[in-house]
Amino acid sequence: MKSASALLVAVSLLGSTAFLNGQSKGAGAPAASGWQGVERAKLLQGVKELPKMGAPGPVAIFGSFAFPVIAANADGKAELALVAAAAYGKGRALIYGHTGYIDGSSIGGSDAGTLLVNAVKWCSGKEKPRVGVRNGGSNAFLEKRGFRPKSFKAVDKKNLSEFDVIILGPSDLGDAEVTALSDYLKGGGGVIAAATGWAYDQTSGGKSLNDEHPGNRALRAAGLGWTSMTFPDQVRTFSASADLPGMMNAAEAVLALRKQKQGAAADEAAMNQGVNALQVALSCQPSQGGGLQTAVVSALGEGSSIVPTRDKPLLESDVAPRLRLGIETRILKLAGGADIKAHPAAAVFPGMVAAEVKRVNQEVTIDPSVPGWQSTGLYASAGDKISVKLPEAAVGQGYSLRIGCHTDSLYHLDKWMRAPEITRTVPLKQALTETSSGFGGLIYIVVPGKAESGAPFSVVIGGGVQAPLFVLGKTTDEQWKTEISKRPAPWAELACKGVVLCCPTEAARTVKNPAELMTYWQKVIDVQDELSNVTKDRKRPERIVSDVQISAGYMHSGYPIMVPVSAAMEMVTFNRLKWPGWGFYHEIGHNHQKGEWTFEGTGEVTNNVFALYCFEAALGKPKTIGHTGASEEAQKEHWLKHKKEGAPFATWKKDPFRALTTYIQLIDGFGWDAVKKYFDSYNDSSFGPLPSNDDEKRDQFMVRYSKITNKNLGPFFDAWGIPVSSGAKESISKLEAWMPKHMH
């Protein structure tokens, strides 16, 4: 494996010895192996569990005196830390993987408040410290717990000198504030910080979480950091435990690797935990490299990668090969410059282009009013130098170059059919940017969400290979057949205003009438937008990407929606019956869901309302033909079984098609217009404030629908066993009661 070995050799190893010595010696090594448990117990006193607030992400741990505080695992796999702490210099720090855990409006009713109080004392080393609160709004909560917090804005030496410990969200700090925060911690200050790492790329105008996130820059020396990862959906709560694996610290994992290389026996479970810790920690390291990267490369040593395929995946039991491939992909993602070598796995997926195929310089028009990825019709073969020439007015405005659309990260899965991470994004900070990718992929220019609307402008991209790209309204079927579909890149896209489909070129070439196909896909997006009343708010098209392996489920929603390559033919086939089918409408429906009308148990239900509507409004077929679980026969079975069991809400919540039957009955009873009015009612203040919890969501579901239909739906909700309050029932009691005929 010449190129991957060359990559590892090319990484400077000068920092590895210093890093490892720092982990084992530090400013005075821990006196006993149980020190983490002792300190963690102080922080967890009175804490049983933390709720899952929003979509938190795992935090990285890699410092000599850094340790996990609260963690969780999915299905018995490696532990991931939600909260971590560290001693650095004379100070102490604690970080959370979501801003909600320092939000005064959300922590009071849970153990999150107890943990914050403990953290204030632990980080300051005092029972009654001087507390500074920069953001998070925890002042009132802390006052009730006996503290005298003071708000402040600027993170500078003068302000920080007034406090023993500060609470802040660090994502918006300036350069001088980053330095001041780091100096404050090193000098003996206490820092409690919370950030939602995955959101940084979306809210920072195209800045890099690894290189530019202020919190990562300020606390990296302490061995703590935020990542772009999120916890698996299976993780619902975070239980407190004083006993967590020491190998959650990447520094411990590096030492274990070095010992294993020297012949020490390996504990497979511990090494799996260590490999996971390394992947998490490497995900937030700076692109210019650093001590952790070089130490890992040194500990790993020379060797060849095993390239995973769909037929011969790398399994979780393949500890050493998975570790090597995982480290290589992390380092390739972090590598800078334009001389990144192709990784051998790129030839299998996403595919390379032969050297004799023509590379082109191509002018591409970018529309700044459309945020997100903008397709260029070009493909970067792995290892090829790609250049982007940007107009001066767009330089430093948050635009970036993306190579690759297969964004799913597979590190957490028990088998890998491809390299676990293969895409790359590079900020466009100069008029000319040159880079390359170890895996290659379709080329995009990413428009930041904060881009000011303005006239379209041109960029010149060099070094790419032409890829098939059909755009409805701009490209004709004839052009597609005679020239565009024959372009040599291995991946192709078909686009309309509402959605862009990405599939292997071989699948795209089977499309004979792309205008018909994409006209239908536009209708699918239009009817879902119509149902959810978001037509006026749509700023970018949906994207659907097929991949040899995705990170969760058969398909999953998001930007992009991810589907298996086995579904690519269905995606690009329109046969006027059921293709493209239920799964696609289901995932697009997820992207239309709103939290205010989706309560626990309906996450896989309210999106299916959109799937039903697609069959009727876009395809002109009966709404229930798309899935056997929604057929008339199935609906009858769902109701009779539910009634026989005593209408248990717990069962209703766990059976998506049983729950969908409830919604289908409302649609049959009052039509689609009532559904539209119901969804739109959440934009109408005359219906009252938005719900703040599940109880209120269920109440408002019944009350809003009752007012819209002018019927009392209380008996209907009771029949299905959906809990609603007596007050909600009373508010609609004067309306005529309604039940479907067959439920009387």
Side-chain angles (χ1 to χ4, degrees), residues 28 51 77 112-113 154 161 216 225 261 264 270 322 396 425 463 531 548 592 634 674 706:
K77 296 185 182 298
S161 67
N216 279 344
K261 184 181 174 184
R322 276 172 64 104
T425 302
L531 187 62
V548 70
H592 283 79
S706 293

Side-chain angles (χ1 to χ4, degrees), residues 396-720:
Q397 297 303 306
Y399 293 90
S400 57
L401 167 71
R402 163 171 280 281
I403 299 176
C405 56
H406 300 97
T407 57
D408 273 12
S409 171
L410 311 181
Y411 294 106
H412 64 289
L413 298 181
D414 56 7
K415 66 179 179 180
W416 296 346
M417 299 182 192
R418 62 161 170 84
E421 192 170 19
I422 61 175
T423 66
R424 177 174 175 77
T425 302
V426 180
L428 298 175
K429 295 182 177 181
Q430 296 87 31
L432 174 63
T433 299
E434 293 182 328
T435 190
S436 54
S437 162
F439 292 96
L442 287 169
I443 297 173
Y444 304 90
I445 299 298
V446 184
V447 177
K450 296 182 179 180
E452 295 182 4
S453 58
F457 59 87
S458 296
V459 301
V460 177
I461 301 175
V465 174
Q466 288 192 317
L469 172 61
F470 177 88
V471 181
L472 184 66
K474 295 183 179 180
T475 314
T476 66
D477 284 355
E478 186 62 24
Q479 289 173 315
W480 173 258
K481 293 174 187 176
T482 59
E483 188 269 318
I484 296 173
S485 67
K486 298 177 181 179
R487 291 174 180 172
W491 288 85
E493 291 186 314
L494 299 107
C496 58
K497 186 177 180 181
V499 67
V500 182
L501 312 177
C502 178
C503 63
T505 294
E506 60 188 21
R509 286 176 180 154
T510 67
V511 179
K512 305 304 180 185
N513 305 104
E516 178 188 49
L517 172 70
M518 297 316 296
T519 297
Y520 175 72
W521 269 109
Q522 183 60 50
K523 194 169 185 180
V524 168
I525 302 301
D526 285 344
V527 300
Q528 289 215 14
D529 285 356
E530 171 196 341
L531 187 62
S532 61
N533 298 285
V534 301
T535 303
K536 62 181 181 301
D537 297 323
R538 177 168 292 284
K539 295 180 179 179
R540 67 183 185 188
E542 305 287 343
R543 286 185 173 272
I544 308 178
V545 173
S546 55
D547 195 337
V548 70
Q549 185 179 13
I550 66 175
S551 61
Y554 176 66
M555 299 178 176
H556 72 72
S557 58
Y559 183 83
I561 292 168
M562 298 299 299
V563 305
V565 287
S566 59
M569 285 302 299
E570 178 183 347
M571 180 171 67
V572 297
T573 302
F574 174 55
N575 66 5
R576 293 187 176 85
L577 180 59
K578 291 172 65 177
W579 276 19
W582 181 274
F584 295 97
Y585 310 147
H586 169 101
E587 300 303 344
I588 299 170
H590 271 308
N591 283 1
H592 283 79
Q593 275 177 316
K594 297 291 179 63
E596 50 262 33
W597 39 260
T598 300
F599 50 89
E600 183 185 3
T602 60
E604 295 296 329
V605 180
T606 58
N607 61 315
N608 282 337
V609 172
F610 290 88
L612 295 169
Y613 193 56
C614 281
F615 283 99
E616 187 168 311
L619 202 56
K621 299 291 182 179
K623 61 180 177 291
T624 58
I625 70 165
H627 199 290
T628 55
S631 68
E632 289 188 13
E633 295 77 11
Q635 290 176 52
K636 291 177 183 177
E637 290 178 12
H638 294 320
W639 164 244
L640 291 174
K641 187 174 182 181
H642 195 61
K643 182 180 179 181
K644 184 178 180 180
E645 293 172 354
F649 182 57
T651 304
W652 187 93
K653 290 192 299 182
K654 294 178 181 179
D655 187 339
F657 283 96
R658 185 182 298 200
L660 183 62
T661 299
T662 304
Y663 287 82
I664 293 174
Q665 289 175 338
L666 289 172
I667 295 165
D668 288 342
F670 303 108
W672 286 109
D673 192 50
V675 181
K676 296 174 188 177
K677 289 178 179 178
Y678 168 65
F679 287 152
D680 199 38
S681 74
Y682 291 88
N683 301 315
D684 185 348
S685 60
S686 69
F687 281 86
L690 295 177
S692 60
N693 55 50
D694 269 6
D695 290 342
E696 292 180 4
K697 289 177 185 180
R698 293 191 300 272
D699 279 358
Q700 291 198 25
F701 177 22
M702 180 188 69
V703 172
R704 288 170 184 261
Y705 227 101
S706 293
K707 289 181 177 179
I708 288 165
T709 60
N710 202 33
K711 298 292 183 182
N712 179 355
L713 299 181
F716 177 66
F717 273 63
D718 285 343
W720 277 104

Side-chain angles (χ1 to χ4, degrees), residues 133-156:
V133 178
R134 182 173 180 269
N135 41 30
S138 58
N139 302 61
F141 169 79
L142 291 171
E143 286 173 357
K144 291 179 181 178
R145 303 298 287 265
F147 299 98
R148 293 184 177 180
K150 179 181 177 182
S151 295
F152 73 102
K153 291 185 179 180
V155 179
D156 55 31

Side-chain angles (χ1 to χ4, degrees), residues 190-275:
V191 175
I192 299 171
T196 308
W198 59 263
Y200 186 70
D201 288 343
Q202 303 173 22
T203 59
S204 64
K207 292 182 179 179
S208 162
L209 179 73
N210 296 71
D211 291 324
E212 297 171 282
H213 187 274
N216 279 344
R217 290 164 57 202
L219 299 182
R220 186 169 285 133
L224 297 174
W226 286 273
T227 74
S228 59
M229 302 164 66
T230 57
F231 279 92
D233 289 340
Q234 303 97 301
V235 174
R236 300 296 183 186
T237 59
F238 299 87
S239 298
S241 172
D243 185 21
L244 289 174
M247 291 277 269
M248 289 182 71
N249 187 320
E252 292 290 330
V254 172
L255 290 170
L257 274 179
R258 188 166 69 169
K259 291 177 181 177
Q260 187 180 29
K261 184 181 174 184
Q262 294 169 350
D267 180 325
E268 185 173 318
M271 286 307 299
N272 280 332
Q273 179 65 67
V275 168

